[in-house]
Amino acid sequence: MSFPEKFMWGGATAANQYEGGWQEGGRGISLSDVLESGSDRFIKYSPSYRSDNTHFYPSRKASDFYHHWQEDIDLMYEMGFGCYRFSICWSRIFPTGEEAEPNEEGMHFYDLIIDKLIAYHIEPIITIEHFDIPLHLQEKYNGWASREMINLYLKYCRTLFERYKGKVKYWMTFNEINNAARLPLLCSGVYIAADEPFYQIAYQSAHHMFVANSLTVKMAHEIDAENQVGCMLALSTQYPETCRPEDVYAAYLQRQKSLFYSDVMLRGAYPYYTESFFRELNVNLKTEDSDLQNIAAYTNDYLAFSYYRTVVFHEGYRTTANTGGGIGDLNPYLKTSSLGWPIDPIGLKYVCRELQDRYGKPMMIAENGLGCEDNLSEGHIHDQERMDYLHDHIRELENAIDSDCNVFAYTWWGPIDIVSAGTGKMSKRYGFVHVDADDHGNGTFQRTRKDSFYYYQKIIADNGLNPNDEAAE
Ligand code: BGP
């Protein structure tokens, strides 16, 4: 068996890490434009950002897709992409988020991209919000902490659904929504001061996002019955560190904290464990009458998730919010990448089966990839580490599909080098295509195909791994 004939191979990017052009085409300032590169990236933004030339704000230039989109889509086509997942920058459409009418120049930019993808038979898959709210909405409302965000988001969604009706079918509401109570500034545009009730604010924000998600599904289906709206979560998993029942139980509870989000959005209700979970965290949700009805009535059509690495978890492990680090320790049975991330292809199969069991909905691997530093030698990049990672994950994905997991698409993260969300640096590269830019945004931005470019091209052409081709073994 293996990959179905219509399986969609492609890549995924996010505007805030790839697009650049931060002050062009009438675009408003986005929260991501004021997040510095460096260790404080997730917890604060510089109040002096408007005049600050001493810090580097990686999103502002990113990979300059804004000026390279034609060339980049040509490269995607050359690799054989059947789909491309990308996000729209909200502040390019509504510069502050509060305008009545969209910014036509911003819309036009995405029109061109979508039309070119369609001309190449590359299915556009749009993330409506990927770590990227208009800065104004952060400053005025503290992002999703405020209920006001729901209507502003729905106005933005309506604009997209109406404009791209008949052109775009696949949508995702929020990137990695289950980071809302881990990285609230990045995920939901919410700043929580040290003396504020962290979980109360974070989960209240998540509730607003759940309501917005359900109403977005409703709206998308009303505008075009063909629309498919996914939810998107980070679902790399944690194993128990030992077989001590205490550790096994702790790892299970930790997993529930993530699956909580998909339980709400795919099963249409807060799960049974919500009450005890919220009691423990002192969370009291404020809801309106119709919220739970909408959540029940409008569940997502598919589950998209990112999968990078797995870690181990033990009783008493303290997860710290806002750090962006992995949640758990290294697994001694796994090798790590050159940048220290554990590599666990079997975990991908495990997670696919777990999620198939739990939800039985179509699934998409929305992000998978290896970030490492590349060496350019005489114009070539021999990125064997990346090819090995790709090969091993595709092999296990194939196994999952062979055992009837319903996965319909795979989009490699950052197929053309982009800025890392975690580090804010360019030197952590995921691409099959190198972008000549350094950690300070200097460079020619020239694109160069790496060895992995041809390797992925072959995987796509063969619709999976060719058993006779052991190149990356
Ligand atoms: C996911 C995000 C992406 C991304 C990726 C890789 O959490 O959705 O935006 O960048 O992780 O992480 P990093 O860039 O930190 O290596």
Side-chain angles (χ1 to χ4, degrees):
M1 217 182 96
S2 77
F3 291 95
E5 213 181 301
K6 289 197 170 152
F7 189 79
M8 293 197 286
W9 298 97
T13 63
N16 84 86
Q17 289 157 262
Y18 185 46
E19 200 173 280
W22 75 296
Q23 282 181 315
E24 294 183 63
R27 178 185 179 280
I29 299 180
S30 168
L31 172 61
S32 60
D33 299 331
V34 302
L35 298 181
E36 299 167 16
S37 164
S39 55
D40 284 345
R41 182 165 168 71
F42 293 121
I43 38 180
K44 68 171 175 69
Y45 65 88
S46 160
S48 60
Y49 65 87
R50 288 179 206 273
S51 54
D52 179 8
N53 293 317
T54 52
H55 291 98
F56 176 57
Y57 298 95
S59 295
R60 296 180 178 185
K61 259 197 192 170
S63 309
D64 199 26
F65 178 65
Y66 193 72
H67 296 109
H68 290 259
W69 61 273
Q70 309 201 40
E71 184 187 347
D72 285 5
I73 296 174
D74 284 345
L75 286 162
M76 294 175 196
Y77 176 69
E78 196 182 324
M79 274 186 276
F81 278 22
C83 65
Y84 170 40
R85 170 187 175 229
F86 62 101
S87 74
I88 288 193
C89 169
W90 189 344
S91 65
R92 204 177 274 298
I93 307 303
F94 290 99
T96 66
E98 298 207 280
E99 293 78 2
E101 295 300 325
N103 166 33
E104 193 45 41
E105 222 181 320
M107 296 299 304
H108 182 64
F109 173 64
Y110 294 109
D111 293 350
L112 295 173
I113 290 169
I114 290 167
D115 287 347
K116 188 167 170 83
L117 291 171
I118 292 172
Y120 278 163
H121 301 288
I122 300 175
E123 185 81 44
I125 300 175
I126 293 183
T127 316
I128 299 169
E129 207 265 283
H130 191 134
F131 298 166
D132 205 8
I133 66 167
L135 181 62
H136 171 81
L137 299 183
Q138 200 296 317
E139 295 183 327
K140 180 166 174 189
Y141 298 111
N142 198 17
W144 283 96
S146 163
R147 210 180 155 93
E148 302 283 333
M149 289 289 280
I150 299 174
N151 282 335
L152 295 167
Y153 180 82
L154 290 173
K155 174 184 64 180
Y156 166 48
C157 290
R158 176 172 294 284
T159 305
L160 300 182
F161 294 153
E162 286 177 349
R163 181 83 160 213
Y164 300 122
K165 181 174 174 174
K167 291 188 173 184
V168 177
K169 172 176 163 190
Y170 293 99
W171 304 88
M172 283 173 214
T173 44
F174 299 102
N175 184 62
E176 294 189 343
I177 187 172
N178 58 324
N179 273 325
R182 193 168 83 88
L183 302 169
L185 186 60
L186 194 72
C187 177
S188 11
V190 175
Y191 174 75
I192 307 176
D195 58 351
E196 288 183 303
F198 182 88
Y199 289 109
Q200 172 64 35
I201 299 173
Y203 281 106
Q204 186 64 51
S205 311
H207 177 73
H208 298 147
M209 293 162 94
F210 290 148
V211 175
N213 176 73
S214 67
L215 294 173
T216 303
V217 172
K218 175 175 190 270
M219 180 194 286
H221 291 165
E222 281 168 2
I223 292 176
D224 186 347
E226 291 285 299
N227 275 331
Q228 299 284 303
V229 185
C231 56
M232 196 297 191
L233 283 81
L235 288 175
S236 306
T237 198
Q238 304 87 24
Y239 302 128
E241 190 167 320
T242 73
C243 50
R244 261 180 87 226
E246 289 85 347
D247 289 343
V248 176
Y249 188 62
Y252 187 79
L253 293 190
Q254 184 60 25
R255 187 63 170 164
Q256 269 189 336
K257 284 187 193 164
S258 268
L259 297 176
F260 165 80
Y261 295 80
S262 35
D263 283 356
V264 175
M265 294 182 290
L266 294 173
R267 289 174 161 169
Y270 277 94
Y272 76 89
Y273 53 88
T274 308
E275 241 176 85
S276 58
F277 176 44
F278 280 180
R279 209 180 311 124
E280 210 177 290
L281 298 173
N282 268 322
V283 172
N284 262 307
L285 279 195
K286 286 185 211 61
T287 61
E288 287 189 4
D289 285 352
S290 56
D291 288 359
L292 299 183
Q293 278 148 270
N294 286 328
I295 286 172
Y298 309 109
T299 55
N300 293 89
D301 300 306
Y302 65 94
L303 168 61
F305 63 95
S306 60
Y307 177 90
Y308 289 93
R309 53 175 167 174
T310 59
V311 286
V312 296
F313 200 84
H314 58 79
E315 188 197 21
Y317 190 96
R318 288 269 149 253
T319 56
T320 3
N322 280 329
T323 58
I327 319 168
D329 292 330
L330 289 183
N331 183 336
Y333 294 98
L334 296 178
K335 58 179 186 188
T336 50
S337 72
S338 50
L339 290 186
W341 279 24
I343 301 177
D344 182 11
I346 292 176
L348 176 59
K349 168 170 68 178
Y350 173 91
V351 168
C352 286
R353 294 188 76 132
E354 174 199 32
L355 299 171
Q356 181 73 43
D357 283 346
R358 196 167 179 114
Y359 302 117
K361 292 247 185 172
M363 293 184 284
M364 163 176 176
I365 314 299
E367 291 180 29
N368 174 234
L370 179 86
C372 59
E373 290 181 2
D374 288 332
N375 297 314
L376 194 67
S377 82
E378 293 168 3
H380 293 287
I381 294 154
H382 305 296
D383 51 345
Q384 189 63 42
E385 190 185 0
R386 186 169 293 108
M387 292 194 286
D388 290 343
Y389 181 101
L390 173 64
H391 172 275
D392 295 351
H393 284 76
I394 297 302
R395 184 191 59 218
E396 297 306 336
L397 176 59
E398 183 172 345
N399 280 333
I401 290 176
D402 276 343
S403 51
D404 295 315
C405 288
N406 181 7
V407 180
F408 66 93
Y410 173 87
T411 51
W412 176 267
W413 179 247
I416 295 175
D417 286 342
I418 63 177
V419 171
S420 154
T423 65
K425 293 186 177 165
M426 195 73 191
S427 51
K428 184 179 185 189
R429 297 173 183 274
Y430 284 85
F432 302 132
V433 174
H434 179 268
V435 174
D436 177 37
D438 68 12
D439 284 341
H440 303 281
N442 303 312
T444 61
F445 291 85
Q446 190 187 318
R447 275 57 176 156
T448 306
R449 294 165 187 78
K450 306 179 193 178
D451 286 359
S452 55
F453 178 94
Y454 303 100
Y455 189 57
Y456 194 43
Q457 185 183 52
K458 184 156 183 0
I459 290 177
I460 298 176
D462 293 341
N463 197 23
L465 300 174
N466 184 332
N468 303 319
D469 171 20
E470 302 296 315
E473 299 263 18

